[in-house]
Amino acid sequence: MLKLKKIYRKVLRYNIVKKYKKNIQNKNFTIISSNCIGGLIYHDLGMQFKSPTINMYIKANDFIKLCKNLKKYMDEELIEIKDNIYKFPIAKLGDIYLYCVHYKNFNDVYNKWNKRKKRINYNNIYIIMSDRDGCTDENIKEFDELDYKNKVIFVHKRMDNIKSSYYIKGTENNDKRNRIINITEYKGKFTGKRYYEDFDFVTFLNNRGV
């Protein structure tokens, strides 16, 4: 059943992905993302991962610290954190934590991280964040002030005072957290599009963040 579902999704996404690959012009960029969105974008474009922040999420405070001092953190050694709560590896980079949700073990995390961080194109960086994983309104303001031209934060409500914000309709989380839902999820059973794809990321990448 799961295999059939994957085939079904692949069929639904065929023309969507084909269009992305046809229209992308910027071919050598690094996406630093707070969750799996960056990896999904690279995958759909059929491009090599030129970022270490693949298949993981980073909590809001830590992600902003990482972006503020990216080169400094890339010089830090990745350390394994033993934790019985999570069923996936946790890594520590200096004073920030990486929740490596799509990795089997720390060795895999360590090797992929060190290989991919060498590919970072510091002259063509895009920062992508979502207002979840502990994100506060203050974090959103901090993100907006980051010294990067090419950045976007996906939010659960209109924030016209935040220049880098992008509101995705229908992503309000109605629980007590009052933040955005997981926008890597599909919008419905009969669509090949995920929520974050309401944002034209190909144009974003081609136009250097404009």
Side-chain angles (χ1 to χ4, degrees), residues 33-201:
S33 58
S34 65
N35 53 37
C36 296
I37 292 173
L40 290 171
I41 290 174
Y42 278 119
H43 183 268
D44 283 343
L45 293 173
M47 291 184 171
Q48 184 184 54
F49 295 142
K50 294 187 177 180
S51 167
T53 60
I54 303 294
N55 292 332
M56 63 180 64
Y57 72 88
I58 306 169
K59 292 185 178 180
N61 280 328
D62 282 354
F63 185 69
I64 290 168
K65 282 195 289 186
L66 174 69
C67 293
K68 283 181 176 179
N69 293 285
L70 186 59
K71 288 185 177 180
K72 169 185 172 291
Y73 280 107
M74 290 304 110
D75 287 335
E76 296 280 359
E77 185 73 11
L78 209 61
I79 298 171
E80 182 178 13
I81 298 298
K82 300 291 185 181
D83 195 307
N84 296 323
I85 298 175
Y86 297 93
K87 295 181 180 179
F88 49 80
I90 310 293
K92 191 175 182 183
L93 187 71
D95 60 348
I96 69 174
Y97 292 85
L98 311 177
Y99 297 85
C100 310
V101 64
H102 295 299
Y103 290 89
K104 292 181 179 179
N105 55 64
F106 176 75
N107 284 339
D108 194 22
V109 176
Y110 185 87
N111 292 331
K112 293 289 177 60
W113 177 273
N114 286 307
K115 181 167 65 174
R116 291 167 180 165
K117 76 177 184 179
K118 293 176 183 176
R119 302 175 186 157
I120 295 175
N121 182 355
Y122 287 99
N123 295 315
N124 196 11
I125 286 183
Y126 292 78
I127 308 294
I128 298 179
M129 183 175 172
S130 297
D131 91 8
R132 54 185 286 121
D133 300 319
C135 188
T136 65
D137 288 346
E138 185 58 38
N139 290 144
I140 294 172
K141 290 177 183 176
E142 280 187 86
F143 180 88
D144 203 42
E145 293 168 0
L146 287 174
D147 190 23
Y148 293 91
K149 175 187 174 184
N150 311 324
K151 61 181 183 287
V152 61
I153 180 166
F154 298 117
V155 294
H156 70 292
K157 62 182 179 180
R158 283 199 168 278
M159 293 187 169
D160 295 333
N161 60 317
I162 305 296
K163 292 180 181 179
S164 58
S165 68
Y166 188 88
Y167 166 55
I168 300 178
K169 292 180 182 179
T171 58
E172 296 81 1
N173 194 329
N174 294 321
D175 65 18
K176 292 179 181 179
R177 290 171 292 180
N178 192 30
R179 290 293 166 187
I180 202 167
I181 62 172
N182 180 5
I183 57 174
T184 65
E185 297 289 339
Y186 287 97
K187 298 178 73 174
K189 292 181 179 179
F190 306 106
T191 176
K193 292 197 78 172
R194 297 181 174 92
Y195 282 98
Y196 75 84
E197 290 176 283
D198 282 0
F199 175 71
D200 187 355
F201 64 83

Side-chain angles (χ1 to χ4, degrees), residues 2-54:
L2 185 61
K3 189 175 181 180
L4 286 174
K5 190 174 181 180
K6 285 184 177 180
I7 294 171
Y8 175 68
R9 290 288 190 196
K10 191 172 182 179
V11 171
L12 287 175
R13 289 191 62 76
Y14 178 80
N15 285 327
I16 297 171
V17 171
K18 186 178 179 181
K19 185 178 178 181
Y20 292 155
K21 291 177 180 177
K22 179 183 176 182
N23 293 335
I24 190 68
Q25 297 167 10
N26 187 1
K27 300 292 179 71
N28 184 17
F29 56 84
T30 288
I31 297 174
I32 302 297
S33 58
S34 65
N35 53 37
C36 296
I37 292 173
L40 290 171
I41 290 174
Y42 278 119
H43 183 268
D44 283 343
L45 293 173
M47 291 184 171
Q48 184 184 54
F49 295 142
K50 294 187 177 180
S51 167
T53 60
I54 303 294

